[in-house]
């Protein structure tokens, strides 16, 4: 198994443009190997990368000696899903860090195109599942839908697996469905729910509930 680390990135291009100065520039310069050159090169051509580095440099400095796959998995696993956390803020931070690592691995020739697409798709897939659970749990906590159910056993009592307990699932179409997302891809989704979990006389009410849930999912992901 090949060990893939940010220490191994290569940068064929050089830039003389001063992108970062002061304490940030000094922190970049002490990064190992070709990382400083790669960061300066990317940041000089992309305002987005410039912002990622500015916001996440301290975090990045602690990650450079770790395996990239482990870093990416840790970013996803660190997303906590409980009613008290601000999931919007967590998702923004996670996306910044995840994209920064993938960009460096991509343009540093550590990841090939297939690995880049798979990494970006995995993040979208995991975040979608997490968001579905959060929004489903919130709605079933806000309103008591137990009278609508055939069986109370799977009523969403906690965030983990709330969507599947309620019967909500999603098809990822297009590039997400084939795990071929790129940096600017939209995700095309079809949401469905299992009607057979609910009494027929409550279909209208429960359909409205899932419309609310799906709108909240889309809003959270879009924001």
């Amino acid at each position: 198994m090949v060990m893939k680390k940010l220490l191994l990135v290569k940068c064929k291009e050089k830039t003389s443009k001063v992108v970062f100065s002061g304490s940030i520039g000094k922190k970049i310069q002490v990064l190992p190997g070709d990382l400083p050159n790669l960061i300066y090169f990317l940041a000089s051509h992309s305002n987005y990368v410039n912002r990622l580095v500015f916001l996440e440099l301290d975090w990045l400095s602690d990650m450079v000696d770790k395996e990239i796959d482990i870093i990416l998995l840790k970013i996803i696993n660190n997303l906590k899903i409980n009613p008290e956390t601000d999931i919007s803020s967590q998702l923004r931070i996670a996306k910044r860090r995840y994209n920064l690592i993938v960009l460096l691995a991509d343009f540093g020739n550590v990841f090939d195109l297939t690995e880049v697409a798979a990494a970006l798709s995995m993040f979208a897939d995991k975040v979608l599942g997490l968001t579905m659970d959060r929004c489903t749990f919130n709605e079933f906590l806000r309103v008591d839908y137990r009278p609508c159910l055939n069986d109370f056993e799977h009523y969403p009592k906690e965030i983990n697996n709330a969507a599947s307990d309620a019967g909500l699932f999603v098809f990822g179409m297009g590039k997400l469905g084939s795990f071929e997302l790129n940096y600017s891809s939209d995700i095309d989704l079809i949401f469905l729910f299992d009607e057979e979990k609910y009494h027929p006389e409550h279909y209208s009410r429960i359909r409205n509930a899932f419309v609310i849930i799906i709108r909240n999912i889309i809003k959270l992901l879009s924001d």
Side-chain angles (χ1 to χ4, degrees):
M1 180 178 176
V2 178
M3 304 281 280
K4 298 196 172 185
K5 298 185 177 184
L6 294 177
L7 294 166
L8 304 176
V9 302
K10 301 295 181 185
C11 182
K12 297 178 181 178
E13 307 290 342
K14 307 294 181 184
T15 177
S16 58
K17 182 179 179 180
V18 178
V19 185
F20 300 101
S21 58
S23 61
I24 294 180
K26 291 177 181 177
K27 289 178 182 178
I28 293 173
Q29 288 301 323
V30 299
L31 292 174
D34 251 3
L35 263 176
N37 287 331
L38 180 60
I39 288 172
Y40 274 105
F41 174 72
L42 292 177
S44 68
H45 289 80
S46 167
N47 289 332
Y48 177 65
V49 174
N50 191 306
R51 179 172 176 271
L52 292 182
V53 174
F54 182 81
L55 292 171
E56 300 297 343
L57 180 58
D58 288 338
W59 173 83
L60 177 66
S61 299
D62 293 333
M63 296 293 116
V64 292
D65 62 341
K66 296 178 173 57
E67 289 186 55
I68 294 173
D69 287 343
I70 292 175
I71 298 172
L72 297 180
L73 186 61
K74 185 176 181 180
I75 292 171
I76 293 172
N77 290 340
N78 281 348
L79 284 167
K80 296 181 176 60
I81 47 173
N82 63 66
E84 288 75 34
T85 57
D86 177 7
I87 191 173
S88 298
S89 175
Q90 285 193 41
L91 289 176
R92 288 188 182 96
I93 294 170
K95 185 182 179 184
R96 285 202 308 259
R97 293 176 176 179
Y98 201 95
N99 279 359
L100 179 58
I101 296 297
V102 174
L103 280 161
L104 293 174
D106 180 5
F107 288 90
N109 297 308
V110 177
F111 274 6
D112 61 26
L113 180 59
T114 301
E115 290 170 310
V116 171
L120 295 173
S121 301
M122 182 178 73
F123 182 76
D125 181 69
K126 296 295 185 182
V127 166
L128 176 59
L130 182 152
T131 306
M132 288 171 62
D133 281 341
R134 176 64 174 262
C135 293
T136 302
F137 177 78
N138 285 352
E139 179 60 21
F140 276 72
L141 185 66
R142 186 183 71 87
V143 178
D144 186 358
Y145 292 105
R146 279 175 291 188
C148 302
L149 280 158
N150 290 320
D151 181 0
F152 296 163
E153 180 183 353
H154 296 297
Y155 192 86
K157 302 177 183 67
E158 57 182 31
I159 293 179
N160 287 317
N161 301 314
S164 61
D165 285 346
L168 178 65
F169 57 102
V170 64
F171 288 129
M173 309 301 288
K175 291 182 179 179
L176 177 58
S178 58
F179 255 49
E180 296 177 342
L181 290 182
N182 59 50
Y183 296 106
S184 60
S185 295
D186 291 330
I187 54 174
D188 301 313
L189 306 173
I190 297 176
F191 289 95
L192 301 168
F193 76 94
D194 183 1
E195 263 187 354
E196 294 185 0
K197 283 179 174 281
Y198 300 91
H199 297 299
E201 62 267 28
H202 292 297
Y203 280 173
S204 178
R205 184 184 181 201
I206 205 66
R207 285 169 183 160
N208 287 335
F210 280 112
V211 167
I212 292 170
I213 290 168
I214 292 165
R215 283 176 176 168
N216 288 337
I217 291 168
I218 298 303
K219 183 179 186 303
L220 189 56
L221 293 177
S222 297
D223 288 347

